[in-house]
Each structure stands twice: as C-alpha cells, then as structure tokens.
Amino acid sequence: MSFPVDKKESILAEDNVSSAEGQLDAYNRMPESLRGLSDDEFSAINKKLVRKIDFFILPTIGILYILNYIDRQNLSAAKLQGIMDDLNMTTEQFATSISILFVGYLPFQIPSNLIITKFSRPGMYICGAVAIWGAISACTAAVHSYGQLLAVRAILGAVEAVFFPGAIYYLSAWYTKKELGKRIAGLYIAQQVGNAFGGLFAAAILQLDGHHGIRGWRWLFIIEGCATVGIGIICACIMPEFPHNSRILSPLERDCAVWRLESEAGAAEGTENESVLKGFMKALADPKLLLLIMCNMLSQTQGSIANYFPTLVSSLNFSSTISLLLTAPPYILAGIVYYGLMFWSDRKNLVYPIILMCIAISIPMYIIPMATTNVGARYFSMMILPFASVGPQLLLYKTINLHLARPISKRAAASALVNAIGGTSNIWASYLYFGEPHFYVAFGTLMGAAVLFAITITIYRWLILRENKRLDSGDPVEIAKVVKGGVTEEMVQLGWRYEMY
C-alpha cells in the first residue's frame, strides 16, 4: 500500500520522496492538522505563512545587517577624514586596525552559533549582540591612540561574530530550499545598501567636522553607534522565535512551518535533542566541510575588496567626499545583481554554474586596474567587482545550509566553521592593498584566488555527485558510506539528494 504524493508534499519536498516507503513515512510524519486539508487550502496557508514570516523576518534582519556593515566599514571612511593623522598611524598600522577586527570576529563565531541553537528566542540573542556592538562602536570616538583603537576593534569583532553566521542559521530555520536563496540574497542586498549608503551617510556626518570641537570621524562613530543601539533594542521586540514556538503564528501555521522543514530534511528546528558537542564533532567528520572551508576562504579573499573599497575609489584622485559618493553606485548594482542571481538559483535549482560565471567575470575586472590608469576603465571594473567578487559567497552559504542540513547543531557548527576559518583570509588580505594606483599585489592575489576557487568548487561538485550515485544505487553498503559522510537516516528515508550542482 502507498499514499500518493499530493500537492501538500510536492510543494515542500519536490521530488525528494521517490519511493512508496518514503511516501508512507512522509504521510505518517505529517501533523494531523494538515492531513485533512485540500490542496488549495494547504497552498493558501503556505503562501500566507511565507508572506507573514517575510514581513517579520526579512526587514528586521536586513536593517540589522545594514547597521553591521556601516559600523564595520566606518574605519575606512574615517581614514579619508584624518584618523590616521590624529592617532599618528602608519599605513601598516591602519591595515592592522582593519584586520584585527577579524581576530576577534572569527574564533567567536563557532561557539556563538552552537549557543544559538539552544536559545528558544534566537532573535533576542542576535539583537542583544547588536545593541552591545553599537555601544562598542560608539566608544571608538573616544580613542586617542593606536593601541586604544586596536583594543576597541578587537572587542567589536568578538561581539559582531554573533550576527552573520547566526542570521544565516536563523533564516535556514524558517525557509525551505526553494526559498532560502532569495532570502540570503536579501541579506546581502542589505549589506550592499549598508556599503552604498554608509558612504553617503559618512559623507554627510563628516561635514560636522569641528562642531563642538569634535573631529568629523569621531562624530561618525558617535552617531552611527548610538543609532545601532536603539535599533537593536527595537528589533529585539519584533524578531520571532523558531517555527515550533513562534508567537506570531497560529497553531495551524506553526504545524505548517515545522512540516516545511521536516519534510525536506527529516527534522525541524527545536525538534532534535542532539548535543552541541556531538553536532560539532559530526561537522568535523564530514569530508565536504574541508572543501567548503577552502572555497569560502578563497571567496572571502576576493571579497576582501569591500574592506578597502573607499581606498580603491580614492585612487582615482577625486576628493574624499566625491570618493565616498562614488562608492555607492557599485554597491547598488551589486544588490540588484545579487537578487537576480539568487532568484535564478532558486528557480533553476543551480549553484555551480553561477559561481563559475561570477569567477569568469571577476578575473578580467582584476586585470583592468593593473593594466591601465584610465579613470573610466578603472571605475567600470570597480562597478563590476563588488558583485562578481562577493556573489559566490551567497551561493556558498546556501550550499552549506542545504548540504550540511542535519542534525541542526551540525549545520550551525558547519556554517560557523566555514565562515570563521574561511574568513581568516580577511586578516592577511588587509595587507595587500598598497602600491596605488595599480595595486598589483592585491589584484594579482585576488585573481589567483579566483582560479583556485574554480578548481576547488569543481572538486566539491565531483564529490557530491559521487554521493548521489551511491544513494541512487540502492546498495545498503554504498548508502552506509553516504550516511557516514554526513547524511542522516531520516534524510535517506525521505529520498534526499545533494542538489544544485
């Protein structure tokens, strides 16, 4: 006897349930409240649910990420307003003050993302960190020496470590594989809004230079840091909990929200009792993790261009204000392209060819500034580089959260490990950006990273296609190898496969 996979299951599981046993198992696991619904009724509830969680989650996460990037990039803007002279810093010391943020940021991501899985209100945890880092960022205005700046930046990085991996994990706790890509794109669009309007806000705030005897760069940290504290407190009252305990959903909507995730991966947030340590060890034992860490390290090497983008634009020899204004259009374009890429990825269920396309676009854009001093050509490359260099990171985070999905603590650990270890490239990459206007060392290194990235992601593709062949074989011995490599028994029963590659 078998049950047909009707619209309720096809919406959620697509083609994952491929056998009669899998269909029966899926039916038995479905909440009783959903079984009696017609296809049209279920579809209406599903659409209403997605609209509701989009309304509450996406604007809130987006605003917080804008603040995250504005606060992080303030130092680059402050460089154009004399912070180096006021604190008697050399070029190398300024590079250290940029990179030391990642010394605090990277190691704290892993414990933070393991802790967040045990919070019944992860939004409160994230927003609390936002308010704290806003206060720390505001304290940058009080520094009077290079050593004090390093101390503040290191502490700022440690607190900011909560946000990005936590936000990615939080989104994956609410959205299915067909929805997650566009939502991650929304997060990165917010990042680009922060980069774009951060420059515009900085240009405006820096006009306060000298008011009440306070330098413009100090006003920058005071105003934007205080704004972050206030907005973080407000957002803490808005962000919902996990699907199974959310107070913004009706009981029927909660059942639907949980089932959406459970039907794809065998479990949903808050329904597993896997220990944090066990999930962490499972992440370390997964052979795919090392390749994803390497991919992210190479991708973030390319993405380090964002940390020095105002410096690159200032090499065009415009005034500091004009340079800040010119940083906005590339980031606005990047936000538009990000959404297009992830919409395409979700619609076609693709990742690998889109990553290769971005890499192919970025390589000639690295060559242009090394080959010419023509302002038009160089600014054209700067218009393209933010989306071509950083775009693959969106697709990697989508891969991490769908290919290393369960158990939940494993996904949280894997996401943090990939971001933390991969992000170490931001530390040493900060020392590459010298020798303007051509920046030969920086762009040469980024080009080499792009080539290695293409090779590594191709090896990853080969690995997961081999795992799919083992799952398709039906051989218990071959399937056992896949389970040992990180797929749970529940995922096998649901007919789960590695997709998008």
Side-chain angles (χ1 to χ4, degrees), residues 280-326:
F280 179 73
M281 296 308 296
K282 284 187 175 181
L284 292 178
D286 194 325
K288 297 184 299 296
L289 183 64
L290 181 61
L291 285 172
L292 288 172
I293 287 172
M294 185 66 178
C295 286
N296 195 42
M297 184 179 295
L298 295 166
S299 181
Q300 292 213 32
T301 298
Q302 291 183 266
S304 68
I305 196 170
N307 298 328
Y308 269 80
F309 203 67
T311 299
L312 297 177
V313 175
S314 70
S315 70
L316 301 176
N317 294 320
F318 292 105
S319 68
S320 60
T321 300
I322 296 298
S323 294
L324 286 171
L325 296 176
L326 286 176

Side-chain angles (χ1 to χ4, degrees), residues 46-64:
N46 190 65
K47 290 179 181 178
K48 180 181 177 182
L49 173 66
V50 173
R51 285 196 300 268
K52 180 179 283 190
I53 59 181
D54 279 347
F55 178 78
F56 280 96
I57 292 176
L58 292 186
T60 308
I61 287 283
I63 289 170
L64 296 179

Side-chain angles (χ1 to χ4, degrees), residues 116-137:
I116 196 174
T117 65
K118 301 304 178 183
F119 269 74
S120 61
R121 294 201 64 185
M124 185 73 73
Y125 177 73
I126 292 172
C127 291
V130 172
I132 294 171
W133 94 51
I136 295 169
S137 181

Side-chain angles (χ1 to χ4, degrees), residues 319-391:
S319 68
S320 60
T321 300
I322 296 298
S323 294
L324 286 171
L325 296 176
L326 286 176
T327 62
Y331 289 127
I332 294 172
L333 175 63
I336 295 171
V337 173
Y338 286 165
Y339 187 82
L341 291 177
M342 297 307 280
F343 181 85
W344 182 20
S345 175
D346 283 354
R347 176 66 62 88
K348 300 297 184 180
N349 201 26
L350 292 174
V351 161
Y352 176 72
I354 303 176
I355 289 178
L356 291 189
M357 181 187 71
C358 289
I359 292 172
I361 293 172
S362 68
I363 290 175
M365 294 303 107
Y366 296 137
I367 294 173
I368 289 174
M370 291 193 290
T372 181
T373 56
N374 180 274
V375 173
R378 291 171 65 83
Y379 190 66
F380 172 75
S381 72
M382 293 174 191
M383 283 290 297
I384 303 299
L385 279 174
F387 80 75
S389 295
V390 182

Side-chain angles (χ1 to χ4, degrees), residues 67-87:
L67 296 173
N68 179 259
Y69 248 73
I70 286 177
D71 287 346
R72 190 185 300 184
Q73 301 301 323
N74 275 347
L75 190 58
S76 294
K79 180 184 179 184
L80 304 181
Q81 194 65 24
I83 189 173
M84 289 181 64
D85 294 332
D86 289 355
L87 302 185

